[in-house]
Amino acid sequence: MKTLLWPAITIVATIVLVGGHLAGIGWPAGVAKMVASTGFILTGVAAGAATHRVGRIILAGLVLSWFGDLFLIGSGDTYFQLGLVSFLSGHVAYSAAFLAHGVRPGWVGAALVPVLIIGALVLNWLLPNVPADMLGPVWAYFVVITAMLLLAIGARGAGAPLILPLGAACFYFSDISVASGKFVPGDFPHYVWGLPLYFGGQLLIARAAGEARGVV
């Protein structure tokens, strides 16, 4: 029952969060965001992530993402940069977990070209709008999330469940949504697609953490 309860709470809270943003509601949307984030951590715990090494590293990444969500409730560059560091650390934790699980180099190699093509297209669209003082952090972040996605694919080749790279891909594209909202002008609200991708991706990674034991 608990394995279904926490994802359901995250899904409902995400719907409330997106609706709150669209309606221009402030603090209730922030509360919904943290409820959704807490839900994906508890999803990982309920899936059994705390019972083995790979799962515990993924749980650390989920907790770091929780803090990233908390920081991004605030406004201004300081909160954005704190959120950036938290999510960057979360991606590093995920990458470490996938390496601890074991990866198939052939799978990483097969995914390398298409992932790099997607990345080049995204950067070509994004970088002209990024201020000079943020170019370094954006580049560093993009390298880390690309490595995380490739390692997730490699872990799938080494026996990890399919939902692991699917979750990593959702997280990757949700980060692009955040960057577009921060740097690229436009009328369409980026969070309408970015937040469901983000929380959905975290739920998939959290659920996979119970099964992705690798070498225990």
Side-chain angles (χ1 to χ4, degrees), residues 90-182:
H91 283 298
V92 170
Y94 287 162
S95 297
F98 304 155
L99 285 170
H101 172 279
V103 300
R104 269 298 168 79
W107 282 58
V108 174
L112 184 61
V113 171
V115 169
L116 290 181
I117 289 174
I118 292 171
L121 292 172
V122 170
L123 288 173
N124 185 62
W125 164 66
L126 182 66
L127 289 181
N129 301 284
V130 177
D133 61 336
M134 288 297 294
L135 283 173
V138 168
W139 265 107
Y141 194 93
F142 202 81
V143 168
V144 170
I145 66 172
T146 300
M148 184 276 300
L149 177 57
L150 288 169
L151 290 171
I153 294 169
R156 168 61 179 166
L162 177 60
I163 57 175
L164 184 69
L166 289 178
C170 288
F171 199 177
Y172 174 93
F173 285 108
S174 74
D175 280 335
I176 293 171
S177 163
V178 173
S180 70
K182 177 68 176 178

Side-chain angles (χ1 to χ4, degrees), residues 9-192:
I9 288 174
T10 295
I11 291 168
V12 171
T14 301
I15 293 170
V16 173
L17 172 59
V18 173
H21 279 311
L22 288 171
I25 301 172
W27 68 265
V31 171
K33 185 177 191 180
M34 299 318 299
V35 168
S37 297
T38 303
F40 62 58
I41 293 174
L42 294 175
T43 295
V45 173
T51 63
H52 59 97
R53 181 176 57 135
V54 173
R56 287 191 290 270
I57 302 172
I58 291 177
L59 278 178
L62 292 169
V63 171
L64 288 164
S65 297
W66 188 95
F67 279 102
D69 287 326
L70 182 64
F71 288 131
L72 289 186
I73 291 175
S75 58
D77 288 341
T78 299
Y79 284 111
F80 180 78
Q81 290 169 10
L82 287 170
L84 192 74
V85 170
S86 296
F87 283 120
L88 182 69
S89 301
H91 283 298
V92 170
Y94 287 162
S95 297
F98 304 155
L99 285 170
H101 172 279
V103 300
R104 269 298 168 79
W107 282 58
V108 174
L112 184 61
V113 171
V115 169
L116 290 181
I117 289 174
I118 292 171
L121 292 172
V122 170
L123 288 173
N124 185 62
W125 164 66
L126 182 66
L127 289 181
N129 301 284
V130 177
D133 61 336
M134 288 297 294
L135 283 173
V138 168
W139 265 107
Y141 194 93
F142 202 81
V143 168
V144 170
I145 66 172
T146 300
M148 184 276 300
L149 177 57
L150 288 169
L151 290 171
I153 294 169
R156 168 61 179 166
L162 177 60
I163 57 175
L164 184 69
L166 289 178
C170 288
F171 199 177
Y172 174 93
F173 285 108
S174 74
D175 280 335
I176 293 171
S177 163
V178 173
S180 70
K182 177 68 176 178
F183 300 119
V184 181
D187 295 327
F188 186 80
H190 65 95
Y191 54 79
V192 170

Side-chain angles (χ1 to χ4, degrees), residues 180-207:
S180 70
K182 177 68 176 178
F183 300 119
V184 181
D187 295 327
F188 186 80
H190 65 95
Y191 54 79
V192 170
W193 59 276
L195 287 173
L197 274 179
Y198 167 69
F199 285 107
Q202 294 284 46
L203 283 176
L204 291 173
I205 292 171
R207 183 65 187 85

